[in-house]
Amino acid sequence: MEGALPEPQRRLAPAARWLWRLEGALGALVALIAAGVVDAATSGWPGPAAWLAALLLVVAAVLVVPELRWRRWRWEVREHEVDIRRGTLTITRTLVPMLRVQHVDTRRDLLEQMLGLATVVFHTAAGENRIPALPLHEAGLVRERIAELARTADEL
Amino acid sequence: MSSESPDVALGPPRRLHPAGIAVLALGALRGAALPLLAVFLAGLAGRGLDTHALVRALALAGIATAAATAAGVVAWYTTTWQIGTGTLRHRRGVLSVKETDVPLGRVQAVDTVRGPVQRLFGVVGVHVQTAGGGREAEIVLPALSAGDVAALRDAVGARRPAARAPEAPAAPPEPVRRRRLGRRQLLVAALTAGRLGVLLPVVAALAQLLDDVFQGDEVRDAGRLGATLTPDTAGEWVLLGSGVLLAAWLISMAAVVVTFAGFTVARDGDRLHISRGLIARREASVPVARVQAVRVVEGVLRQPWGLALLRIEVAGYKAEAPAAQTLFPLLRRTEVRGLLDELLPELADAPDRLARVPRRAARRYALPPALAGLAAGAAAALLVPGAGPWPLLLALPGAGHGLLRWRAAGWRLEDGRLAVRWRRLARTTVLAPAGRLQEHALSQTILQRRARLADVEVRIGAGTRGRVHHLELPTAARLFAALRLRRDPRPT
């Protein structure tokens, strides 16, 4: 994509891929169980077809998507805005002005705690945006920086 | 987290008042009460109430209380809050840790709550609200001492942006400008409301019910007569269908009349006063500063006559009924600018002269719904015996709808005023100063990347999200860059 403003440069933690792989694996497990049920309940072609579909899903959710997502994710916190670019099939670039940021969270669920990661969530009146899977220390700094910039944005 | 940056000076982390343990434990107990009751009743089933059951219930209650107390202690121990020079920080959670920074200038309200438990211990629950989305308060501190509440209030009060506290020096009071919805307009609004989609299922179900009831009676009373009440020829089906449609339309008309009778909107200084309603008069007073955008909605039955409904998007009013966000229920499209100039000059703009999306994008609008129609048609053709290939024609209305959407899509950015138009069923134009955008995005699918097209999406409030699909990439990128907000354009 082109435009007058520079592209965001910073990446997520490399461990983000493992986070997404684990999450994907949990989802894929459900698909495999479902395939097993279909196989047991029917005879003929639906069983193998279900296994094939589940297998494709596992490959996509565990091997392909996390890698692709991680390669695409870029973010940048600038003085006046947060700039995010992300997506696998659809690439989306989002700008959120600091003036509109109401408050900032960092969140860590169990998987993220195991991997030493945290997600930064910043809220506007229209909803929330996330920078997921940053190294724990960096996430804290990013949260503080966004809160600080949001605070000073009013005073210009 | 020990990530202290030098420019954010924070006070020491504070815990809640120890009474918070009781408040949190009771909260946990309340959450678990229903499942526990279910377990108890399930244990009761089949055996009846005897001493064993009572002992079990007591044991269960004891365990639950102990567990809730433990949960309360853990929650209390892991919840901290800190006041900094510019920020309020809150940390909670064990399995899922959440740390929140609220810039003090962004605090909209510090609400205090005193429930029975809090009163018992002489503490206060505090909810800190920002304008951020979500119904819950951003920070909930269930038990603070009076001293802590005062400290919190002081910190927030001291950091409120000074510009907002005193109103602008009293300008000479402007005359109140007022617009009223006339009887004829109300009638036309009712006729063209087109809420059929919502009501049709209800009326159909009602008709079915009545049919069943009458059929039952008829069958009992007069033998074969009942059979004549269920339609069996095409003509009777058409008759029944039009009856249902007519009933739905009448109900929809009545609803509009009841909602909007006597609709009046007045601009008085920095507020809009809106009152409406036939049976219950409803009045709303909206600060103009919180109006983020105007939406011009041209319903399917209204657009051919050049008629539209005007809505306002108000920050922080998400919970209100949509009717409360109606600026005017019916007016001509050409009158939009005039009405806005009079009542809401801050956002005045006209819903016309928009740039269309490129001609080559038309097939991209038409193809997906056409394919969806085709798929639905194929499913119908396979599943309904004797249907033949006719359901496949569903692709045509799909393509038609897509083309209508293509024709409706458009945008304009002039003097910092943004207009974005799209269609689902109704054609909607959002008018907003670019400075009131909450965020905006540029996106491209794989297919769009090859064709060098892109979508632009803007979010203005909790409910308003405008999107133009398939703009030429350079156009989209220019628009995306031009919408960047660098400083607050509102006069202070």
Side-chain angles (χ1 to χ4, degrees):
Chain A
M1 285 185 216
E2 55 206 355
L5 64 169
E7 293 274 327
Q9 297 298 331
R10 307 188 66 173
R11 288 168 172 263
L12 306 180
R17 287 173 287 189
W18 283 106
L19 178 68
W20 293 331
R21 277 174 202 146
L22 284 169
E23 285 172 0
L26 288 177
L29 201 64
V30 177
L32 286 174
I33 292 170
V37 170
V38 170
D39 196 16
T42 60
S43 60
W45 63 270
W51 281 116
L52 190 70
L55 203 69
L56 284 178
L57 199 85
V58 171
V59 171
V62 179
L63 298 180
V64 181
V65 174
E67 183 65 32
L68 215 57
R69 251 170 111 186
W70 185 79
R71 283 198 196 166
R72 282 277 160 69
W73 242 104
R74 295 285 190 288
W75 60 276
E76 199 86 55
V77 175
R78 301 203 194 92
E79 188 184 349
H80 295 292
E81 69 211 351
V82 185
D83 191 347
I84 285 172
R85 201 190 65 179
R86 64 170 188 278
T88 47
L89 293 183
T90 301
I91 299 180
T92 304
R93 174 130 177 238
T94 306
L95 285 183
V96 183
M98 283 299 172
L99 270 166
R100 299 286 171 257
V101 174
Q102 299 293 334
H103 60 104
V104 204
D105 301 330
T106 48
R107 295 181 193 169
R108 276 180 288 155
D109 60 22
L110 266 182
L111 280 179
E112 283 175 307
Q113 290 191 53
M114 279 162 52
L115 293 164
L117 298 173
T119 295
V120 177
V121 186
F122 50 102
H123 303 253
T124 70
E128 56 175 53
N129 277 287
R130 295 160 177 258
I131 305 175
L134 292 177
L136 186 51
H137 181 75
E138 191 180 4
L141 291 176
V142 170
R143 185 194 66 228
E144 280 168 12
R145 183 159 159 72
I146 293 178
E148 174 69 15
L149 288 170
R151 183 168 73 83
T152 47
D154 279 341
E155 293 162 5
L156 293 178
Chain B
M1 206 178 297
S2 59
S3 51
E4 204 81 0
S5 65
D7 50 338
V8 185
L10 282 167
R14 309 187 197 196
R15 293 230 161 78
L16 302 174
H17 189 279
I21 296 176
V23 180
L24 290 164
L26 277 170
L29 203 58
R30 206 165 31 213
L34 263 181
L36 281 176
L37 199 67
V39 169
F40 174 63
L41 289 179
L44 221 60
R47 273 186 253 173
L49 195 66
D50 52 15
T51 33
H52 270 293
L54 278 177
V55 169
R56 270 207 314 278
L58 275 177
L60 207 60
I63 293 170
T65 310
T69 309
V73 169
V74 171
W76 177 81
Y77 187 77
T78 51
T79 302
T80 60
W81 60 285
Q82 281 165 282
I83 299 176
T85 47
T87 324
L88 183 63
R89 176 171 300 173
H90 177 233
R91 180 193 167 110
R92 54 166 293 243
V94 187
L95 295 183
S96 171
V97 184
K98 183 171 165 188
E99 258 177 292
T100 305
D101 278 5
V102 177
L104 289 174
R106 291 284 197 267
V107 174
Q108 297 274 337
V110 179
D111 298 337
T112 52
V113 186
R114 302 198 65 187
V117 191
Q118 281 124 338
R119 277 204 296 274
L120 186 66
F121 290 100
V123 294
V124 184
V126 174
H127 293 195
V128 179
Q129 311 259 11
T130 75
R135 271 152 210 270
E136 298 263 303
E138 276 64 40
I139 294 183
V140 179
L141 301 164
L144 292 186
S145 67
D148 278 348
V149 176
L152 188 59
R153 281 238 160 93
D154 278 353
V156 170
R159 293 299 307 189
R160 273 279 166 78
R164 270 180 216 168
E167 284 302 317
E174 288 186 43
V176 176
R177 284 153 300 173
R178 198 182 296 275
R179 282 281 183 114
R180 209 183 294 274
L181 185 74
R183 285 216 181 130
R184 258 192 62 181
Q185 280 174 303
L186 178 65
L187 191 68
V188 176
L191 277 169
T192 56
R195 293 186 182 172
L196 298 182
V198 186
L199 286 165
L200 215 50
V202 179
V203 179
L206 216 65
Q208 183 64 47
L209 189 73
L210 284 177
D211 195 47
D212 285 353
V213 170
F214 280 119
Q215 199 182 7
D217 286 343
E218 297 283 340
V219 169
R220 210 176 304 124
D221 296 348
R224 290 171 50 246
L225 253 176
T228 61
L229 272 175
T230 49
D232 46 18
T233 68
E236 281 176 15
W237 274 109
V238 168
L239 207 65
L240 184 72
S242 2
V244 167
L245 211 66
L246 191 69
W249 199 5
L250 287 175
I251 294 174
S252 142
M253 280 181 68
V256 170
V257 170
V258 168
T259 312
F260 290 125
F263 187 99
T264 309
V265 52
R267 172 68 184 268
D268 185 4
D270 58 356
R271 297 182 89 83
L272 283 170
H273 299 285
I274 297 170
S275 59
R276 64 187 170 82
L278 184 64
I279 296 161
R281 279 304 274 182
R282 289 176 191 278
E283 315 230 343
S285 173
V286 180
V288 169
R290 295 180 75 171
V291 179
Q292 309 284 325
V294 174
R295 256 198 283 185
V296 185
V297 183
E298 298 165 82
V300 175
L301 295 178
R302 288 176 178 162
Q303 197 194 337
W305 319 107
L307 298 172
L309 157 81
L310 265 193
R311 284 173 184 262
I312 44 179
E313 173 78 32
V314 185
Y317 279 55
K318 188 171 49 171
E320 299 238 2
Q325 302 199 349
T326 300
L327 181 63
F328 210 71
L330 187 84
L331 74 172
R332 289 185 190 289
R333 238 170 78 80
T334 47
E335 294 168 348
V336 168
R337 179 68 201 244
L339 184 131
L340 289 176
D341 275 337
E342 193 178 325
L343 296 174
L344 203 56
E346 293 84 352
L347 280 88
D349 200 351
D352 52 16
R353 296 182 298 105
L354 271 66
R356 300 262 306 265
V357 295
R359 181 167 287 276
R360 71 187 178 102
R363 67 186 171 90
R364 287 169 190 273
Y365 275 86
L367 200 58
L371 288 179
L374 200 65
L382 284 176
L383 293 176
V384 181
W390 295 110
L392 292 179
L393 287 179
L394 275 175
L396 289 180
H401 181 232
L403 286 175
L404 284 175
R405 294 186 64 176
W406 169 72
R407 271 180 57 123
W411 66 280
R412 165 162 52 81
L413 180 65
E414 261 175 31
D415 309 327
R417 286 169 187 275
L418 176 71
V420 174
R421 189 173 65 200
W422 69 91
R423 174 195 294 283
R424 280 196 193 95
L425 280 175
R427 187 167 79 161
T428 306
T429 315
V430 163
L431 306 170
R436 296 203 182 175
L437 298 191
Q438 297 290 336
E439 61 179 74
H440 65 287
L442 176 72
S443 65
Q444 277 190 305
T445 63
I446 281 193
L447 298 173
Q448 286 177 316
R449 256 172 277 161
R450 284 179 41 191
R452 298 184 58 75
L453 294 168
D455 295 355
V456 172
E457 180 180 294
V458 295
R459 297 181 72 166
I460 297 147
T464 303
R465 177 195 290 237
R467 188 164 194 159
V468 187
H469 292 283
H470 306 309
L471 289 170
E472 297 283 359
L473 179 60
T475 313
R478 260 203 318 280
L479 178 59
F480 179 74
L483 287 174
R484 269 172 103 186
L485 172 63
R486 300 202 134 263
R487 58 194 168 74
D488 201 337
R490 288 185 211 194
T492 45

